[in-house]
């Protein structure tokens, strides 16, 4: 397997691989153009996002600045909104359902490093996918850790550090995030 194939599969890989370095540089260039773009030039922004992200649904809106590693591992449903200063370290798929609202300064961290110091010191890393369901609201300043799945209609309170899966129809908050209450749907 190539380093890219290992990365996307969630296996240990070397991020210093020349192919991956070139792809990160390509993403950085698109991100710079997007982040520096005129707010009135919606068509240009849309085209840049289409060239950057793996899949996007209708009605996607991202407030610059926005940051990611590769872009092509990000899959976004319909009517999704990311507020200012979102970070997605997309070394593996990061998937968003429909009608997801992401507050400012939210960070998605599927990328991680081995706990073993020797392996980590040899610059190996890996990722674990993040999945966000539909009709989810993630409050500002939240951090979503590797491997987390957030169920449909869940709410993540501002500033939460989400280290474990979030069930559908729940409100979580704190560090580490815990269930605050069950949400009743009407």
């Amino acid at each position: 397997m190539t380093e890219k194939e290992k990365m996307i599969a969630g296996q240990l890989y070397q991020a210093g691989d020349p192919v991956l370095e070139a792809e990160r540089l390509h993403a950085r260039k698109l991100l710079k153009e997007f982040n520096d773009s005129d707010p009135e030039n919606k068509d240009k922004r849309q085209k840049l996002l289409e060239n950057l992200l793996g899949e996007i649904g209708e009605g996607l809106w991202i407030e610059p600045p926005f940051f990611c590693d590769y872009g092509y591992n990000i899959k976004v449903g319909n009517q999704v909104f990311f507020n200012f200063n979102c970070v997605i370290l997309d070394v593996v798929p990061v998937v968003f359902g429909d009608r997801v609202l992401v507050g400012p300064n939210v960070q998605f961290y599927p990328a991680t490093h081995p706990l073993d110091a020797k392996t980590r010191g040899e610059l190996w890393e890996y990722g674990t996918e993040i999945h966000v369901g539909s009709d989810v609201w993630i409050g500002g300043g939240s951090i979503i850790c590797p491997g987390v799945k957030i169920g449909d209609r869940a709410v993540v309170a501002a500033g939460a550090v989400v280290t474990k899966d979030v069930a559908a129809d729940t409100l979580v908050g704190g560090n580490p995030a815990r269930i605050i209450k069950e949400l009743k749907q009407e």
Side-chain angles (χ1 to χ4, degrees), residues 95-163:
V95 181
F96 299 88
D98 297 328
R99 297 169 306 280
V100 175
L101 302 174
V102 178
N105 298 308
V106 173
Q107 302 168 56
F108 297 88
Y109 294 156
T112 191
H113 301 276
L115 294 177
D116 171 65
K118 181 181 182 309
T119 307
R120 188 174 58 249
E122 294 170 353
L123 302 180
W124 292 100
E125 56 187 75
Y126 67 100
T128 308
E129 294 183 21
I130 292 175
H131 291 262
V132 177
S134 293
D135 301 300
V136 170
W137 174 23
I138 301 174
S142 296
I143 297 172
I144 313 302
C145 291
V148 165
K149 292 177 180 61
I150 300 175
D152 293 342
R153 299 170 305 280
V155 176
V156 176
V161 177
V162 183
T163 61

Side-chain angles (χ1 to χ4, degrees), residues 7-8 10-13 15 24 28 68-70 73 87-94 107-114 124-130 143-148:
M7 177 187 79
I8 294 171
Q11 298 176 9
L12 288 173
Y13 74 97
R24 284 194 306 275
R28 298 294 185 283
C68 64
D69 276 334
Y70 299 94
N73 284 319
V87 175
I88 304 175
L89 302 182
D90 65 310
V91 301
V92 291
V94 180
Q107 302 168 56
F108 297 88
Y109 294 156
T112 191
H113 301 276
W124 292 100
E125 56 187 75
Y126 67 100
T128 308
E129 294 183 21
I130 292 175
I143 297 172
I144 313 302
C145 291
V148 165

Side-chain angles (χ1 to χ4, degrees), residues 53-56 71-77 93-97:
L53 303 181
E55 293 178 21
I56 62 172
Y72 54 71
N73 284 319
I74 301 170
K75 297 172 177 43
V76 181
V94 180
V95 181
F96 299 88

Side-chain angles (χ1 to χ4, degrees), residues 42-102:
K42 295 176 185 177
D43 291 338
K44 177 180 181 178
R45 284 186 172 183
Q46 181 67 24
K47 284 287 184 204
L48 287 165
L49 291 175
E50 288 171 4
N51 289 328
L52 177 67
L53 303 181
E55 293 178 21
I56 62 172
E58 293 181 25
L60 170 64
W61 187 264
I62 297 178
E63 288 287 357
F66 173 72
F67 305 97
C68 64
D69 276 334
Y70 299 94
Y72 54 71
N73 284 319
I74 301 170
K75 297 172 177 43
V76 181
N78 297 315
Q79 308 305 313
V80 174
F81 174 78
F82 292 93
N83 213 322
F84 302 103
N85 211 35
C86 180
V87 175
I88 304 175
L89 302 182
D90 65 310
V91 301
V92 291
V94 180
V95 181
F96 299 88
D98 297 328
R99 297 169 306 280
V100 175
L101 302 174
V102 178

Side-chain angles (χ1 to χ4, degrees), residues 159-177:
V161 177
V162 183
T163 61
K164 296 183 175 163
D165 290 354
V166 176
D169 302 307
T170 57
L171 167 64
V172 301
N175 180 6

